[in-house]
Amino acid sequence: MKYRNYGLFIVLLLLLTGCVKGDVNIEFSNGKKANMDVEILFPENFFSSYNTSINELKNKLNENGLQDWKSEELKESINGVTYLGLKVIAPENINKSLISFVKIDDNEKNFQVEIDMNAVNELYNT
C-alpha cells in the first residue's frame, strides 16, 4: 500500500504523456537519508482547454492519498512554451521507506540502491 502514492504519479505521467512533463527526483545522502520530490508540468493552455486550475490539481492529489505531501507551484518556459505545474515533496514516512532500498557496503565505502521486483510489481498493480 505504501507504493500507492508512487503509482498515482506514474499513472498520471503515462496517461498524459502527450501534454505533460514530469520528473521524479530521489536524493540519497550517505545511504542513510532520502528525499523525494516529483515535478509535474502542463502547458499553460492545458488549464484553459480543460477548464481547470492548479488548485483543482492540488485538490485531486490530496483526495487521492497525497494530503501529507507538500506542494509548490511551478512556472517554467521550455523551448518557448510556458508550463505551469506542481512540485510535490514526499513526507518523512515516504522518505524513510526509500532507505529500505539502500544497501551499504562498509568494506567498499559505498552504497547502492536495489529495488525488489515485488515492489515494482506492486507499484504497477496499484
Side-chain angles (χ1 to χ4, degrees):
M1 196 63 179
K2 67 182 176 182
Y3 301 106
R4 181 174 184 263
N5 294 334
Y6 307 130
L8 177 63
F9 284 121
I10 291 172
V11 168
L12 272 174
L13 295 175
L14 291 175
L15 289 176
L16 301 169
T17 53
C19 61
V20 71
K21 295 193 179 295
D23 193 17
V24 178
N25 301 296
I26 303 174
E27 179 183 327
F28 291 98
S29 302
N30 298 325
K32 297 180 184 346
K33 186 175 181 186
N35 292 303
M36 182 172 85
D37 65 70
V38 179
E39 293 180 7
I40 306 168
L41 296 170
F42 299 90
E44 190 172 34
N45 63 3
F46 168 87
F47 294 99
S48 58
S49 296
Y50 290 95
N51 195 27
T52 190
S53 68
I54 292 284
N55 286 333
E56 286 186 50
L57 177 60
K58 281 185 198 179
N59 291 338
K60 287 292 180 192
L61 292 174
N62 285 337
E63 290 170 8
N64 286 288
L66 300 178
Q67 63 275 4
D68 296 334
W69 293 57
K70 294 179 184 172
S71 64
E72 301 170 1
E73 291 185 20
L74 300 173
K75 182 175 184 177
E76 292 186 29
S77 179
I78 302 171
N79 297 328
V81 177
T82 301
Y83 289 84
L84 303 174
L86 294 173
K87 176 179 182 178
V88 289
I89 303 163
E92 195 58 33
N93 65 320
I94 298 294
N95 289 332
K96 284 182 181 177
S97 71
L98 292 171
I99 295 301
S100 67
F101 300 125
V102 175
K103 305 297 180 211
I104 299 173
D105 185 344
D106 290 326
N107 294 330
E108 296 291 324
K109 304 269 190 228
N110 65 22
F111 64 93
Q112 62 185 6
V113 178
E114 295 178 359
I115 299 178
D116 184 340
M117 282 305 293
N118 291 327
V120 174
N121 289 334
E122 188 176 331
L123 179 84
Y124 282 119
N125 288 335
T126 303

